[in-house]
Amino acid sequence: MAGPVAPAAPAAPWKRHIVRQLRQRDRTQKALFLELVPAYNRLLEKAEVLAQFSEKLQPELNNVTPTTHQGPWEEASEPDLDQVSSLATLRMKWQEEEERLRLVCGEMAYQVVVKRAALEALESELEERQSSLAAHGARVAQLEETRVQLAGQVGERLVLNAAQRTAYDTLRAHAVLHEAALRRLEEEAHHLLKQLVQVKARAAAQCNLRIERRERAKQVQVSQELKKAAKKTVNISESPDTLGSVVRHGAETPALVAELVYLESEACEKKWKRPFRSASATSLTLSRCVDVVKGLLDFKKRRGHSIGGVPEPRYQSIPVCVVARLPTQAQDVLDVHLSEVNAVHFGPNSNLLATGGADRFIHLWTIVGGRLEASQTLEGAGGSITSVDFDPSGSQVLAATYNKAAQLWKVGEAQSKETLSGHSDKVTAAKFKLTRHQAVTGSRDRTVKEWDLGRAYCSRTINVLSYCNDVVCGDHVIISGHNDQKIRFWDSRGPHCTQVIPVQGRVTSLNLSHDQLHLLSCSRDDTLKVIDLRVSNIRQVFRADGFKCGSDWTKAVFSPDRSYALAGSSDGTLYIWDVDTGKLESSLRGPHCTAVNAVAWCYSGSHVVSVDQGRKAVLWH
């Protein structure tokens, strides 16, 4: 006999899971066949009973069958015939019952097959749902773990946010205190600056008064000495040498000059021993002395004696054209750039022309014999050129670019001399001011900046509500045109906007007449407007059938004599209006096949140049 069986090791979890699955399957299948199996057993029992009954009836039928063929004497056996008929009836009933039971068995068998197929389908569905349930359980566990982690992170973030909020409140309180202190300091600085300016002004006034008195005294003394010198006889041949030696040796005072003239006249009188005075010699010597004295006085003025210092020198004025000639035909057509040409401007000598385009180059051209000839290419721009301008001396070129800066070139040098960086968006306009080493730029970052070109330093930033498309500069005013359909005026000596003139449409360009009395604006409502700056009112509005402003940087200009206004249309046509009458003077069609971006009229009034979006520049005469 075998020994005692060792206790079995605990079953693995997967085995227990399989046992549970089998038991569940057994219960499910057993419930389906609980009614079917007993019915089937009852049918089998009935079939066996009927089979036994049929087996008993079969020999009896065989024994009764021969008696049916006896002779006419069969009358005595009537009870046997009744028995045979009852047996036949029973047999028929048995056959019918057997047939019915066979049909019932077939139906039961069909139901068993159907139930088995349904059971298999349910089992497969059960397995799928159990696997899905297991996957969802794993997903739920994973999500629960993630939820716990996120809840921990939320708690940490709440603690961190509370700490940061506390720090923010502290910093805000400090900032408020510092702002209050800054405002107090600014007010004190403004007050001190105002006092300093007043003190300087009083000191300058007193110093100027003393200088004026001293100069008046010197002039009185010089006039007296000149009168004395005019009474003496002067040797004409020797006086120029003597007077020239005085000037060469740096005689700076008119009193010394008069004394030398007096001594020279005495020497001449002794030499010639003439008892009379020569009128011609005296007048000649007097005029020469006056010239020398004036030169010395001018030299002293140039050296400067004012406590305020010498004011910043201005450029010499550009000659203004008296009568401009209307262009009638195209003289020269060139592809001046590799892509779209955005800007064109004439130099003050009317022969030098600058063009700037999207290819980041500035080309300088000269007009020779009615043709444009390439002179120089200025390189180093960081982006597309949007505006070009010459200084009044014609020695420097300033350009606005799309790389958030303006750049300065010296004519004759290919590389950029200075870069004026400080804007945060595209620079759309860059213009020289009338004083030396100063410029103004406008940008789409909604600012206008003034620059000290000597140090490449932004001396002032003007914040505007809309981005700037163009700027122009007068003596003490900066005018800017903006995308919000307004023209703003800024005093270069003050911090605030002095005037705003609304126009219909976004301003694309501004042009100031040479006398600084009229302003020409071009806007996207397809009109040009002339503004009289003396009354700050729109004087003329120019329209024309077919004229369309092609872009936000379309430029329009006055003629040099301010008699005409010129602009290019989106269809390549140039339109010229009479400023005084407001009528369309002429329209020029021809070489341009795309929108004209900019036009320029030379200072002599003899040539016009237009550039378009198709790389062309056209010289009109």
Short mmCIF file of all heavy atoms in Angstrom, two decimals, residues 31-91:
data_model
loop_
_atom_site.label_atom_id
_atom_site.label_comp_id
_atom_site.label_asym_id
_atom_site.label_seq_id
_atom_site.Cartn_x
_atom_site.Cartn_y
_atom_site.Cartn_z
N ALA A 31 -27.05 24.24 -17.31
CA ALA A 31 -28.32 24.95 -17.23
C ALA A 31 -29.06 24.90 -18.55
O ALA A 31 -30.30 24.86 -18.59
CB ALA A 31 -28.08 26.40 -16.83
N LEU A 32 -28.32 24.89 -19.66
CA LEU A 32 -28.98 24.82 -20.96
C LEU A 32 -29.61 23.46 -21.22
O LEU A 32 -30.61 23.36 -21.94
CB LEU A 32 -27.96 25.15 -22.07
CG LEU A 32 -27.40 26.59 -22.06
CD1 LEU A 32 -26.30 26.73 -23.12
CD2 LEU A 32 -28.52 27.59 -22.36
N PHE A 33 -29.04 22.36 -20.69
CA PHE A 33 -29.52 21.01 -20.99
C PHE A 33 -30.32 20.39 -19.86
O PHE A 33 -30.64 19.19 -19.90
CB PHE A 33 -28.33 20.09 -21.30
CG PHE A 33 -27.71 20.39 -22.63
CD1 PHE A 33 -26.61 21.22 -22.73
CD2 PHE A 33 -28.23 19.85 -23.80
CE1 PHE A 33 -26.03 21.50 -23.94
CE2 PHE A 33 -27.65 20.14 -25.02
CZ PHE A 33 -26.55 20.94 -25.12
N LEU A 34 -30.63 21.17 -18.83
CA LEU A 34 -31.40 20.58 -17.71
C LEU A 34 -32.78 20.11 -18.15
O LEU A 34 -33.25 19.05 -17.71
CB LEU A 34 -31.54 21.61 -16.58
CG LEU A 34 -30.27 21.83 -15.73
CD1 LEU A 34 -30.50 22.93 -14.70
CD2 LEU A 34 -29.86 20.54 -15.04
N GLU A 35 -33.46 20.79 -19.01
CA GLU A 35 -34.79 20.40 -19.48
C GLU A 35 -34.72 19.49 -20.68
O GLU A 35 -35.58 18.64 -20.88
CB GLU A 35 -35.58 21.65 -19.83
CG GLU A 35 -35.83 22.56 -18.64
CD GLU A 35 -36.61 23.80 -19.05
OE1 GLU A 35 -36.89 23.92 -20.27
OE2 GLU A 35 -36.92 24.63 -18.18
N LEU A 36 -33.67 19.69 -21.49
CA LEU A 36 -33.59 18.90 -22.73
C LEU A 36 -33.26 17.44 -22.45
O LEU A 36 -33.83 16.51 -23.05
CB LEU A 36 -32.54 19.53 -23.66
CG LEU A 36 -32.41 18.92 -25.04
CD1 LEU A 36 -33.71 19.03 -25.81
CD2 LEU A 36 -31.29 19.60 -25.84
N VAL A 37 -32.38 17.12 -21.54
CA VAL A 37 -31.94 15.74 -21.28
C VAL A 37 -33.07 14.88 -20.71
O VAL A 37 -33.31 13.74 -21.17
CB VAL A 37 -30.69 15.74 -20.37
CG1 VAL A 37 -30.35 14.33 -19.94
CG2 VAL A 37 -29.51 16.37 -21.11
N PRO A 38 -33.84 15.36 -19.70
CA PRO A 38 -34.94 14.51 -19.21
C PRO A 38 -36.00 14.22 -20.28
O PRO A 38 -36.50 13.10 -20.38
CB PRO A 38 -35.54 15.34 -18.07
CG PRO A 38 -34.41 16.18 -17.61
CD PRO A 38 -33.62 16.50 -18.84
N ALA A 39 -36.30 15.23 -21.08
CA ALA A 39 -37.27 14.99 -22.15
C ALA A 39 -36.76 13.96 -23.12
O ALA A 39 -37.50 13.07 -23.60
CB ALA A 39 -37.58 16.30 -22.87
N TYR A 40 -35.50 14.06 -23.42
CA TYR A 40 -34.91 13.09 -24.35
C TYR A 40 -34.91 11.71 -23.73
O TYR A 40 -35.19 10.69 -24.40
CB TYR A 40 -33.49 13.53 -24.70
CG TYR A 40 -32.79 12.65 -25.70
CD1 TYR A 40 -33.20 12.63 -27.04
CD2 TYR A 40 -31.73 11.82 -25.33
CE1 TYR A 40 -32.57 11.81 -27.97
CE2 TYR A 40 -31.11 11.01 -26.25
CZ TYR A 40 -31.51 11.01 -27.57
OH TYR A 40 -30.90 10.22 -28.49
N ASN A 41 -34.65 11.61 -22.45
CA ASN A 41 -34.70 10.28 -21.77
C ASN A 41 -36.11 9.70 -21.79
O ASN A 41 -36.29 8.49 -22.01
CB ASN A 41 -34.20 10.43 -20.35
CG ASN A 41 -32.70 10.74 -20.30
OD1 ASN A 41 -31.96 10.36 -21.22
ND2 ASN A 41 -32.24 11.40 -19.26
N ARG A 42 -37.12 10.54 -21.57
CA ARG A 42 -38.50 10.06 -21.61
C ARG A 42 -38.86 9.54 -22.99
O ARG A 42 -39.53 8.52 -23.15
CB ARG A 42 -39.44 11.18 -21.20
CG ARG A 42 -39.42 11.47 -19.70
CD ARG A 42 -40.62 12.32 -19.29
NE ARG A 42 -40.63 13.62 -19.97
CZ ARG A 42 -40.03 14.71 -19.48
NH1 ARG A 42 -39.38 14.65 -18.32
NH2 ARG A 42 -40.09 15.84 -20.13
N LEU A 43 -38.40 10.23 -24.00
CA LEU A 43 -38.67 9.76 -25.37
C LEU A 43 -38.01 8.41 -25.62
O LEU A 43 -38.58 7.52 -26.28
CB LEU A 43 -38.15 10.79 -26.37
CG LEU A 43 -38.95 12.10 -26.46
CD1 LEU A 43 -38.26 13.06 -27.40
CD2 LEU A 43 -40.37 11.82 -26.97
N LEU A 44 -36.76 8.27 -25.13
CA LEU A 44 -36.10 6.98 -25.32
C LEU A 44 -36.85 5.87 -24.60
O LEU A 44 -37.01 4.73 -25.12
CB LEU A 44 -34.66 7.06 -24.80
CG LEU A 44 -33.70 7.94 -25.62
CD1 LEU A 44 -32.33 7.95 -24.98
CD2 LEU A 44 -33.58 7.40 -27.05
N GLU A 45 -37.37 6.14 -23.41
CA GLU A 45 -38.12 5.13 -22.68
C GLU A 45 -39.40 4.76 -23.43
O GLU A 45 -39.75 3.57 -23.58
CB GLU A 45 -38.47 5.66 -21.28
CG GLU A 45 -37.25 5.76 -20.38
CD GLU A 45 -37.61 6.38 -19.05
OE1 GLU A 45 -38.80 6.76 -18.87
OE2 GLU A 45 -36.69 6.53 -18.21
N LYS A 46 -40.12 5.78 -23.93
CA LYS A 46 -41.33 5.49 -24.71
C LYS A 46 -41.00 4.69 -25.95
O LYS A 46 -41.74 3.78 -26.36
CB LYS A 46 -42.01 6.79 -25.08
CG LYS A 46 -42.68 7.49 -23.91
CD LYS A 46 -43.37 8.76 -24.39
CE LYS A 46 -44.04 9.47 -23.22
NZ LYS A 46 -44.74 10.71 -23.64
N ALA A 47 -39.88 5.01 -26.57
CA ALA A 47 -39.50 4.27 -27.77
C ALA A 47 -39.21 2.80 -27.44
O ALA A 47 -39.57 1.89 -28.19
CB ALA A 47 -38.28 4.93 -28.42
N GLU A 48 -38.55 2.56 -26.33
CA GLU A 48 -38.27 1.18 -25.93
C GLU A 48 -39.58 0.42 -25.64
O GLU A 48 -39.77 -0.74 -26.02
CB GLU A 48 -37.38 1.18 -24.69
CG GLU A 48 -35.95 1.61 -24.98
CD GLU A 48 -35.11 1.63 -23.71
OE1 GLU A 48 -35.67 1.31 -22.65
OE2 GLU A 48 -33.90 1.98 -23.80
N VAL A 49 -40.55 1.09 -24.94
CA VAL A 49 -41.84 0.45 -24.64
C VAL A 49 -42.58 0.11 -25.92
O VAL A 49 -43.13 -1.00 -26.10
CB VAL A 49 -42.68 1.37 -23.73
CG1 VAL A 49 -44.10 0.81 -23.58
CG2 VAL A 49 -42.02 1.49 -22.38
N LEU A 50 -42.61 1.04 -26.82
CA LEU A 50 -43.28 0.80 -28.09
C LEU A 50 -42.58 -0.31 -28.87
O LEU A 50 -43.23 -1.11 -29.57
CB LEU A 50 -43.32 2.09 -28.90
CG LEU A 50 -44.23 3.20 -28.37
CD1 LEU A 50 -44.08 4.46 -29.18
CD2 LEU A 50 -45.68 2.73 -28.39
N ALA A 51 -41.26 -0.35 -28.79
CA ALA A 51 -40.54 -1.42 -29.50
C ALA A 51 -40.91 -2.77 -28.91
O ALA A 51 -41.13 -3.76 -29.65
CB ALA A 51 -39.04 -1.18 -29.41
N GLN A 52 -40.94 -2.86 -27.60
CA GLN A 52 -41.33 -4.12 -26.97
C GLN A 52 -42.78 -4.50 -27.34
O GLN A 52 -43.08 -5.66 -27.62
CB GLN A 52 -41.18 -4.00 -25.44
CG GLN A 52 -39.73 -3.87 -24.98
CD GLN A 52 -39.64 -3.64 -23.48
OE1 GLN A 52 -40.68 -3.64 -22.79
NE2 GLN A 52 -38.40 -3.49 -22.99
N PHE A 53 -43.65 -3.50 -27.32
CA PHE A 53 -45.04 -3.78 -27.66
C PHE A 53 -45.18 -4.23 -29.11
O PHE A 53 -45.93 -5.13 -29.44
CB PHE A 53 -45.87 -2.52 -27.39
CG PHE A 53 -47.33 -2.72 -27.61
CD1 PHE A 53 -48.09 -3.49 -26.71
CD2 PHE A 53 -47.99 -2.18 -28.72
CE1 PHE A 53 -49.44 -3.68 -26.92
CE2 PHE A 53 -49.33 -2.37 -28.90
CZ PHE A 53 -50.07 -3.13 -28.01
N SER A 54 -44.43 -3.67 -29.98
CA SER A 54 -44.47 -4.07 -31.39
C SER A 54 -43.91 -5.47 -31.58
O SER A 54 -44.38 -6.23 -32.43
CB SER A 54 -43.70 -3.05 -32.23
OG SER A 54 -42.34 -3.06 -31.87
N GLU A 55 -42.88 -5.79 -30.81
CA GLU A 55 -42.32 -7.15 -30.92
C GLU A 55 -43.36 -8.19 -30.45
O GLU A 55 -43.45 -9.29 -31.01
CB GLU A 55 -41.05 -7.24 -30.08
CG GLU A 55 -39.87 -6.49 -30.68
CD GLU A 55 -38.66 -6.54 -29.78
OE1 GLU A 55 -38.76 -7.14 -28.69
OE2 GLU A 55 -37.60 -5.96 -30.15
N LYS A 56 -44.16 -7.83 -29.43
CA LYS A 56 -45.20 -8.77 -28.97
C LYS A 56 -46.33 -8.89 -29.99
O LYS A 56 -46.90 -9.96 -30.19
CB LYS A 56 -45.77 -8.29 -27.63
CG LYS A 56 -44.78 -8.42 -26.47
CD LYS A 56 -45.42 -7.90 -25.19
CE LYS A 56 -44.44 -8.00 -24.02
NZ LYS A 56 -45.02 -7.51 -22.77
N LEU A 57 -46.66 -7.83 -30.64
CA LEU A 57 -47.74 -7.87 -31.61
C LEU A 57 -47.33 -8.55 -32.90
O LEU A 57 -48.18 -9.09 -33.62
CB LEU A 57 -48.21 -6.45 -31.92
CG LEU A 57 -48.93 -5.70 -30.79
CD1 LEU A 57 -49.24 -4.29 -31.22
CD2 LEU A 57 -50.20 -6.44 -30.42
N GLN A 58 -46.10 -8.58 -33.23
CA GLN A 58 -45.68 -9.15 -34.52
C GLN A 58 -45.96 -10.62 -34.62
O GLN A 58 -46.55 -11.09 -35.60
CB GLN A 58 -44.16 -8.85 -34.73
CG GLN A 58 -43.68 -9.21 -36.11
CD GLN A 58 -44.26 -8.27 -37.14
OE1 GLN A 58 -44.55 -7.12 -36.87
NE2 GLN A 58 -44.52 -8.80 -38.34
N PRO A 59 -45.65 -11.51 -33.63
CA PRO A 59 -45.97 -12.95 -33.77
C PRO A 59 -47.47 -13.21 -33.74
O PRO A 59 -47.97 -14.08 -34.42
CB PRO A 59 -45.26 -13.59 -32.57
CG PRO A 59 -44.86 -12.49 -31.69
CD PRO A 59 -44.83 -11.26 -32.47
N GLU A 60 -48.20 -12.39 -33.02
CA GLU A 60 -49.64 -12.61 -32.98
C GLU A 60 -50.24 -12.34 -34.34
O GLU A 60 -51.13 -13.07 -34.81
CB GLU A 60 -50.28 -11.71 -31.92
CG GLU A 60 -49.87 -12.10 -30.51
CD GLU A 60 -50.49 -11.17 -29.48
OE1 GLU A 60 -51.19 -10.20 -29.92
OE2 GLU A 60 -50.24 -11.33 -28.28
N LEU A 61 -49.77 -11.34 -35.02
CA LEU A 61 -50.28 -11.04 -36.36
C LEU A 61 -49.91 -12.16 -37.33
O LEU A 61 -50.69 -12.51 -38.24
CB LEU A 61 -49.71 -9.71 -36.85
CG LEU A 61 -50.22 -8.45 -36.12
CD1 LEU A 61 -49.48 -7.22 -36.61
CD2 LEU A 61 -51.72 -8.28 -36.34
N ASN A 62 -48.75 -12.70 -37.16
CA ASN A 62 -48.36 -13.79 -38.06
C ASN A 62 -49.24 -15.02 -37.85
O ASN A 62 -49.56 -15.77 -38.80
CB ASN A 62 -46.89 -14.16 -37.83
CG ASN A 62 -45.95 -13.02 -38.28
OD1 ASN A 62 -46.32 -12.24 -39.16
ND2 ASN A 62 -44.79 -12.94 -37.67
N ASN A 63 -49.64 -15.29 -36.60
CA ASN A 63 -50.50 -16.44 -36.33
C ASN A 63 -51.93 -16.20 -36.80
O ASN A 63 -52.64 -17.13 -37.19
CB ASN A 63 -50.51 -16.74 -34.83
CG ASN A 63 -49.12 -17.19 -34.35
OD1 ASN A 63 -48.35 -17.77 -35.15
ND2 ASN A 63 -48.80 -16.94 -33.10
N VAL A 64 -52.39 -15.05 -36.79
CA VAL A 64 -53.79 -14.80 -37.15
C VAL A 64 -53.95 -14.70 -38.65
O VAL A 64 -55.01 -15.00 -39.20
CB VAL A 64 -54.24 -13.48 -36.47
CG1 VAL A 64 -55.62 -13.10 -36.94
CG2 VAL A 64 -54.25 -13.65 -34.97
N THR A 65 -52.97 -14.41 -39.40
CA THR A 65 -53.09 -14.15 -40.84
C THR A 65 -53.60 -15.35 -41.59
O THR A 65 -54.48 -15.24 -42.45
CB THR A 65 -51.73 -13.68 -41.40
OG1 THR A 65 -51.34 -12.52 -40.70
CG2 THR A 65 -51.81 -13.39 -42.89
N PRO A 66 -53.21 -16.67 -41.37
CA PRO A 66 -53.71 -17.81 -42.16
C PRO A 66 -55.19 -18.03 -41.95
O PRO A 66 -55.88 -18.53 -42.84
CB PRO A 66 -52.90 -19.00 -41.66
CG PRO A 66 -51.65 -18.38 -41.13
CD PRO A 66 -52.07 -17.10 -40.54
N THR A 67 -55.73 -17.75 -40.86
CA THR A 67 -57.15 -17.98 -40.63
C THR A 67 -58.02 -17.13 -41.49
O THR A 67 -59.22 -17.42 -41.63
CB THR A 67 -57.47 -17.71 -39.14
OG1 THR A 67 -57.16 -16.34 -38.86
CG2 THR A 67 -56.67 -18.62 -38.25
N THR A 68 -57.48 -16.15 -42.08
CA THR A 68 -58.27 -15.28 -42.94
C THR A 68 -58.60 -15.93 -44.25
O THR A 68 -59.46 -15.45 -44.98
CB THR A 68 -57.52 -13.98 -43.20
OG1 THR A 68 -56.28 -14.26 -43.81
CG2 THR A 68 -57.29 -13.21 -41.89
N HIS A 69 -57.97 -17.10 -44.62
CA HIS A 69 -58.19 -17.72 -45.93
C HIS A 69 -58.97 -19.04 -45.77
O HIS A 69 -58.85 -19.93 -46.61
CB HIS A 69 -56.82 -18.00 -46.60
CG HIS A 69 -56.05 -16.74 -46.86
ND1 HIS A 69 -56.36 -15.85 -47.86
CD2 HIS A 69 -54.99 -16.21 -46.17
CE1 HIS A 69 -55.53 -14.87 -47.81
NE2 HIS A 69 -54.66 -15.07 -46.77
N GLN A 70 -59.75 -19.26 -44.74
CA GLN A 70 -60.58 -20.46 -44.62
C GLN A 70 -61.80 -20.35 -45.52
O GLN A 70 -62.09 -19.31 -46.07
CB GLN A 70 -60.99 -20.62 -43.14
CG GLN A 70 -59.77 -20.93 -42.24
CD GLN A 70 -60.18 -21.07 -40.78
OE1 GLN A 70 -61.40 -20.94 -40.47
NE2 GLN A 70 -59.23 -21.37 -39.93
N GLY A 71 -62.57 -21.32 -45.55
CA GLY A 71 -63.73 -21.43 -46.44
C GLY A 71 -64.92 -20.71 -45.88
O GLY A 71 -64.83 -19.92 -44.95
N PRO A 72 -66.05 -21.03 -46.47
CA PRO A 72 -67.26 -20.36 -46.09
C PRO A 72 -67.66 -20.64 -44.66
O PRO A 72 -68.57 -20.03 -44.13
CB PRO A 72 -68.30 -20.91 -47.03
CG PRO A 72 -67.54 -21.52 -48.17
CD PRO A 72 -66.24 -21.93 -47.68
N TRP A 73 -67.00 -21.61 -44.11
CA TRP A 73 -67.33 -21.92 -42.72
C TRP A 73 -66.74 -20.99 -41.70
O TRP A 73 -66.79 -21.24 -40.51
CB TRP A 73 -66.87 -23.37 -42.36
CG TRP A 73 -65.35 -23.54 -42.59
CD1 TRP A 73 -64.39 -23.30 -41.76
CD2 TRP A 73 -64.76 -24.00 -43.75
NE1 TRP A 73 -63.19 -23.59 -42.25
CE2 TRP A 73 -63.39 -24.06 -43.57
CE3 TRP A 73 -65.29 -24.46 -45.04
CZ2 TRP A 73 -62.51 -24.51 -44.53
CZ3 TRP A 73 -64.37 -24.91 -45.94
CH2 TRP A 73 -63.00 -24.92 -45.72
N GLU A 74 -66.25 -19.92 -42.12
CA GLU A 74 -65.57 -18.97 -41.23
C GLU A 74 -66.55 -18.18 -40.39
O GLU A 74 -66.15 -17.33 -39.63
CB GLU A 74 -64.73 -17.98 -42.03
CG GLU A 74 -63.50 -18.64 -42.66
CD GLU A 74 -62.70 -17.65 -43.46
OE1 GLU A 74 -63.15 -16.48 -43.57
OE2 GLU A 74 -61.62 -17.98 -43.95
N GLU A 75 -67.76 -18.34 -40.55
CA GLU A 75 -68.70 -17.55 -39.78
C GLU A 75 -68.59 -17.83 -38.30
O GLU A 75 -68.88 -16.99 -37.48
CB GLU A 75 -70.14 -17.89 -40.25
CG GLU A 75 -70.38 -17.47 -41.69
CD GLU A 75 -71.81 -17.90 -42.11
OE1 GLU A 75 -72.50 -18.48 -41.24
OE2 GLU A 75 -72.18 -17.59 -43.23
N ALA A 76 -68.24 -19.10 -38.01
CA ALA A 76 -68.13 -19.43 -36.59
C ALA A 76 -66.96 -18.74 -35.91
O ALA A 76 -66.85 -18.78 -34.70
CB ALA A 76 -68.03 -20.97 -36.43
N SER A 77 -66.03 -18.16 -36.72
CA SER A 77 -64.83 -17.52 -36.12
C SER A 77 -64.87 -15.99 -36.18
O SER A 77 -63.90 -15.35 -36.51
CB SER A 77 -63.55 -18.03 -36.83
OG SER A 77 -63.63 -17.73 -38.20
N GLU A 78 -65.97 -15.38 -35.98
CA GLU A 78 -66.08 -13.91 -35.98
C GLU A 78 -65.26 -13.23 -34.90
O GLU A 78 -64.68 -12.20 -35.11
CB GLU A 78 -67.57 -13.52 -35.81
CG GLU A 78 -68.31 -13.48 -37.13
CD GLU A 78 -69.72 -12.99 -36.93
OE1 GLU A 78 -69.93 -12.23 -35.92
OE2 GLU A 78 -70.55 -13.24 -37.76
N PRO A 79 -65.20 -13.79 -33.72
CA PRO A 79 -64.37 -13.13 -32.71
C PRO A 79 -62.93 -13.00 -33.13
O PRO A 79 -62.27 -12.02 -32.82
CB PRO A 79 -64.53 -14.03 -31.47
CG PRO A 79 -65.83 -14.73 -31.70
CD PRO A 79 -65.99 -14.96 -33.15
N ASP A 80 -62.39 -13.94 -33.95
CA ASP A 80 -60.99 -13.80 -34.38
C ASP A 80 -60.82 -12.62 -35.34
O ASP A 80 -59.82 -11.94 -35.31
CB ASP A 80 -60.54 -15.12 -35.07
CG ASP A 80 -60.53 -16.30 -34.09
OD1 ASP A 80 -60.34 -16.00 -32.87
OD2 ASP A 80 -60.67 -17.43 -34.54
N LEU A 81 -61.81 -12.41 -36.20
CA LEU A 81 -61.69 -11.27 -37.14
C LEU A 81 -61.70 -9.95 -36.38
O LEU A 81 -60.98 -9.00 -36.72
CB LEU A 81 -62.84 -11.31 -38.14
CG LEU A 81 -62.78 -12.49 -39.14
CD1 LEU A 81 -64.05 -12.52 -39.98
CD2 LEU A 81 -61.56 -12.39 -40.03
N ASP A 82 -62.52 -9.86 -35.37
CA ASP A 82 -62.53 -8.61 -34.59
C ASP A 82 -61.19 -8.40 -33.92
O ASP A 82 -60.69 -7.27 -33.84
CB ASP A 82 -63.63 -8.71 -33.52
CG ASP A 82 -65.03 -8.75 -34.18
OD1 ASP A 82 -65.10 -8.25 -35.35
OD2 ASP A 82 -65.95 -9.21 -33.54
N GLN A 83 -60.60 -9.50 -33.51
CA GLN A 83 -59.29 -9.34 -32.87
C GLN A 83 -58.25 -8.86 -33.86
O GLN A 83 -57.40 -8.04 -33.55
CB GLN A 83 -58.90 -10.69 -32.24
CG GLN A 83 -57.61 -10.60 -31.42
CD GLN A 83 -57.27 -11.94 -30.74
OE1 GLN A 83 -57.99 -12.95 -30.95
NE2 GLN A 83 -56.23 -11.95 -29.95
N VAL A 84 -58.36 -9.42 -35.09
CA VAL A 84 -57.38 -9.01 -36.10
C VAL A 84 -57.55 -7.55 -36.44
O VAL A 84 -56.57 -6.82 -36.61
CB VAL A 84 -57.54 -9.90 -37.36
CG1 VAL A 84 -56.70 -9.35 -38.50
CG2 VAL A 84 -57.12 -11.32 -37.07
N SER A 85 -58.78 -7.08 -36.59
CA SER A 85 -58.98 -5.65 -36.93
C SER A 85 -58.47 -4.74 -35.81
O SER A 85 -57.90 -3.67 -36.06
CB SER A 85 -60.47 -5.40 -37.18
OG SER A 85 -61.22 -5.68 -35.99
N SER A 86 -58.66 -5.16 -34.56
CA SER A 86 -58.14 -4.34 -33.46
C SER A 86 -56.61 -4.30 -33.46
O SER A 86 -56.00 -3.27 -33.19
CB SER A 86 -58.65 -4.87 -32.12
OG SER A 86 -58.17 -6.20 -31.91
N LEU A 87 -56.03 -5.44 -33.84
CA LEU A 87 -54.56 -5.46 -33.92
C LEU A 87 -54.07 -4.53 -35.04
O LEU A 87 -53.05 -3.85 -34.90
CB LEU A 87 -54.07 -6.90 -34.13
CG LEU A 87 -54.23 -7.84 -32.94
CD1 LEU A 87 -53.83 -9.25 -33.34
CD2 LEU A 87 -53.38 -7.37 -31.77
N ALA A 88 -54.80 -4.56 -36.15
CA ALA A 88 -54.39 -3.66 -37.26
C ALA A 88 -54.51 -2.22 -36.85
O ALA A 88 -53.65 -1.38 -37.18
CB ALA A 88 -55.26 -3.96 -38.49
N THR A 89 -55.61 -1.97 -36.10
CA THR A 89 -55.77 -0.58 -35.64
C THR A 89 -54.65 -0.19 -34.70
O THR A 89 -54.06 0.93 -34.79
CB THR A 89 -57.12 -0.43 -34.93
OG1 THR A 89 -58.14 -0.82 -35.82
CG2 THR A 89 -57.35 1.02 -34.50
N LEU A 90 -54.32 -1.12 -33.80
CA LEU A 90 -53.20 -0.81 -32.89
C LEU A 90 -51.89 -0.60 -33.63
O LEU A 90 -51.06 0.26 -33.27
CB LEU A 90 -53.06 -1.94 -31.87
CG LEU A 90 -54.17 -2.05 -30.82
CD1 LEU A 90 -53.99 -3.31 -29.98
CD2 LEU A 90 -54.18 -0.83 -29.92
N ARG A 91 -51.72 -1.41 -34.68
CA ARG A 91 -50.46 -1.27 -35.43
C ARG A 91 -50.39 0.09 -36.12
O ARG A 91 -49.34 0.73 -36.15
CB ARG A 91 -50.37 -2.40 -36.44
CG ARG A 91 -49.04 -2.41 -37.17
CD ARG A 91 -48.88 -3.68 -37.95
NE ARG A 91 -47.58 -3.74 -38.55
CZ ARG A 91 -47.09 -4.77 -39.23
NH1 ARG A 91 -47.86 -5.88 -39.33
NH2 ARG A 91 -45.91 -4.76 -39.77
#
